[in-house]
Amino acid sequence: MRSKLPNTGTTIFTVMSRMAQEYGAINLSQGFPDFDCPQPLRERVSHYLNDRRNQYPPMTGIPELRQQIAIKVRDYYGFAADMDQEVTVTSGATEALFDAIQATVAPGDEVIVFDPAYDSYEPAVTLAGGRTVHIPLQLPDFSIDWSQVKDRLSPRTRLIIINTPHNPSGAVMSREDMDTLATLTRDRDILVLSDEVYEHMVFDGGIHESVLRHPELRERSFAVFSFGKTYHATGWKLAYCVTPPALTTEFRKVHQFVTFTSPSFIQYALADFMRDCPEHARELPLFYQEKRDTFVQLMTGSRFQLTPSRGTYFQLVDYGNISRLPDAEFANWLTREVGVAAIPLSPFYEKAPESTLIRFCFCKDDSTLQAATKLLRAL
Ligand code: PMP
Ligand code: GLN
């Protein structure tokens, strides 16, 4: 059969988690917590499930949840979003990213992504008939080379996809980055898709530079956020997109035919929890900073070299002192022979550089991190 995605295999997250399970390895590959989400939130979910909230909620998301999202966006980013015209609830950030791409990219359009790029972007662009233009982030700090961006802009450029805090590197974009992006896209027919699912995981006193903070950029941006990351509930697949009214109209034309809506009882529960427990999100940067520090400290004395993680719940490590295997082979070996699963970086590149970096996920109980690092320190 003819494939519309001939170059796409099974996502590396599924491949590595499956391998971890097969070999009984500690799974620091796919990003998900192994601790539970807050008890009051689970209590609300079960309350609304038993309250028979079983039928289709509104296509755009329930008003109670969109209202809480608008309040959050105002409190964090100083932007008074219109909950009816600028906020849409989706089934995961994956859906929001897909919807935004299908809504804006036409055959022949070019979309700029920065490698290593999250693996759902390019297939969505390809399905829309667009062409993905890959620009590598600069090593060692994974910063954006804006002069290269300027050179690669063309009359066909329709969308630039950014991701801050950045998966897999843990880099975060600065205010200057945002200003440069605004300047480069000014007076051109270019939109921005800003993947901000790790918004509450910025460390060491840094702030998250959402496009929503930037009055000029937010006029031409889709900002995408995920409840899965913030509330330790990746399996619920609930997220949202904030974008101006004209873009929301186009976004919803796609959303209504991709999923139409998202699970009702979880939306009610999230609305209550956002209203009643705003401290959960406020405490998240410190919570994850401590996890990062625990992991870094536990890795002291190992032969891995750690690159600074300034955000997300990921840590890159260089295994060059241990092996010269290519990263995918090293990650497979580590899973099978050592018992710790990791994510190689090469699947996120069009042309992977010569490097010996893999990604570990540290959103785990301390006991899991202790057990994994004991094995890693022995290498
Ligand atoms: N973007 C990035 C950068 C991610 O790491 C993830 C996480 N899995 C997603 C999007 C998708 O988020 P969700 O699980 O809400 O679909
Ligand atoms: N975003 C998660 C990660 O980076 C995985 C998401 C998925 O498995 N689809 O590990």
Side-chain angles (χ1 to χ4, degrees):
M1 196 201 118
R2 188 199 63 170
S3 173
K4 293 186 73 181
L5 296 171
N7 303 320
T8 303
T10 300
T11 168
I12 190 67
F13 306 117
T14 295
V15 170
M16 294 314 300
S17 273
R18 202 158 52 196
M19 194 181 292
Q21 204 164 20
E22 191 181 336
Y23 289 93
I26 299 170
N27 192 358
L28 304 189
S29 64
Q30 189 180 26
F32 61 88
D34 70 348
F35 40 84
D36 215 341
C37 68
Q39 193 275 333
L41 176 56
R42 280 185 284 125
E43 187 279 316
R44 292 279 87 193
V45 171
S46 92
H47 167 78
Y48 284 115
L49 179 62
N50 291 310
D51 197 34
R52 299 157 71 194
R53 306 286 172 121
N54 294 328
Q55 308 313 329
Y56 293 127
M59 179 270 274
T60 57
I62 63 164
E64 293 87 341
L65 183 55
R66 283 184 288 105
Q67 182 185 27
Q68 290 306 316
I69 292 167
I71 291 170
K72 174 237 142 176
V73 162
R74 185 200 64 204
D75 289 354
Y76 278 82
Y77 306 126
F79 167 51
D82 180 322
M83 60 174 262
D84 293 322
Q85 295 193 67
E86 299 185 300
V87 178
T88 309
V89 175
T90 63
S91 295
T94 310
E95 192 219 315
L97 294 163
F98 189 83
D99 294 349
I101 291 167
Q102 302 311 313
T104 54
V105 177
D109 284 349
E110 293 177 3
V111 178
I112 290 180
V113 305
F114 298 98
D115 287 357
Y118 189 63
D119 66 350
S120 82
Y121 306 155
E122 180 159 17
V125 172
T126 305
L127 289 175
R131 192 171 81 81
T132 306
V133 175
H134 295 261
I135 299 181
L137 293 171
Q138 307 179 98
L139 297 173
D141 61 354
F142 293 87
S143 56
I144 294 178
D145 178 353
W146 289 110
S147 66
Q148 218 188 119
V149 178
K150 192 168 173 217
D151 291 346
R152 303 285 295 273
L153 290 180
S154 87
R156 307 239 48 170
T157 309
R158 178 67 177 138
L159 194 64
I160 299 178
I161 305 181
I162 57 172
N163 170 214
T164 183
H166 181 251
N167 176 10
S169 73
V172 300
M173 289 173 70
S174 66
R175 175 73 199 196
E176 291 70 44
D177 286 319
M178 293 299 170
D179 286 341
T180 310
L181 179 60
T183 307
L184 286 178
T185 51
R186 190 172 297 146
D187 300 326
R188 304 178 75 137
D189 194 16
I190 300 176
L191 298 168
V192 173
L193 174 52
S194 186
D195 180 344
E196 304 184 17
V197 299
Y198 300 103
E199 64 181 321
H200 298 302
M201 299 166 205
V202 177
F203 312 138
D204 309 319
I207 64 162
H208 170 56
E209 287 295 348
S210 174
V211 287
L212 299 181
R213 274 190 207 283
H214 200 289
E216 182 183 348
L217 267 185
R218 73 171 169 248
E219 287 304 310
R220 48 181 177 273
S221 297
F222 298 89
V224 172
F225 306 92
S226 175
F227 290 112
K229 314 291 173 193
T230 301
Y231 297 104
H232 313 314
T234 60
W236 293 356
K237 296 301 298 185
L238 257 292
Y240 54 99
C241 175
V242 181
T243 192
L247 296 178
T248 293
T249 300
E250 296 307 308
F251 181 90
R252 289 177 180 171
K253 286 181 190 175
V254 180
H255 163 70
Q256 65 184 340
F257 296 128
V258 172
T259 57
F260 181 68
T261 190
S262 309
S264 51
F265 54 98
I266 307 179
Q267 292 194 53
Y268 286 104
L270 284 166
D272 281 6
F273 191 71
M274 284 180 91
R275 185 194 60 216
D276 298 341
C277 301
E279 67 278 7
H280 173 88
R282 291 268 171 223
E283 289 164 1
L284 214 54
L286 195 56
F287 173 80
Y288 275 119
Q289 182 176 316
E290 284 172 6
K291 284 272 171 228
R292 178 202 63 177
D293 292 346
T294 299
F295 185 65
V296 169
Q297 202 258 323
L298 286 166
M299 288 293 275
T300 312
S302 86
R303 290 201 292 154
F304 289 96
Q305 285 179 315
L306 277 60
T307 49
S309 171
R310 298 174 56 212
T312 72
Y313 43 49
F314 303 118
Q315 170 72 56
L316 293 186
V317 304
D318 192 326
Y319 60 85
N321 290 335
I322 297 167
S323 164
R324 300 311 297 177
L325 282 176
D327 64 353
E329 284 177 45
F330 183 77
N332 290 352
W333 174 81
L334 199 66
T335 309
R336 276 198 314 260
E337 306 295 333
V338 181
V340 183
I343 294 286
L345 260 56
S346 50
F348 306 115
Y349 279 96
E350 179 187 44
K351 289 189 202 77
E354 289 278 311
S355 95
T356 41
L357 291 173
I358 53 172
R359 188 196 83 178
F360 287 124
C361 171
F362 56 72
C363 60
K364 305 290 172 188
D365 274 326
D366 287 358
S367 57
T368 309
L369 296 178
Q370 279 155 6
T373 51
K374 187 165 179 228
L375 298 170
L376 297 172
R377 281 197 311 272
L379 289 174

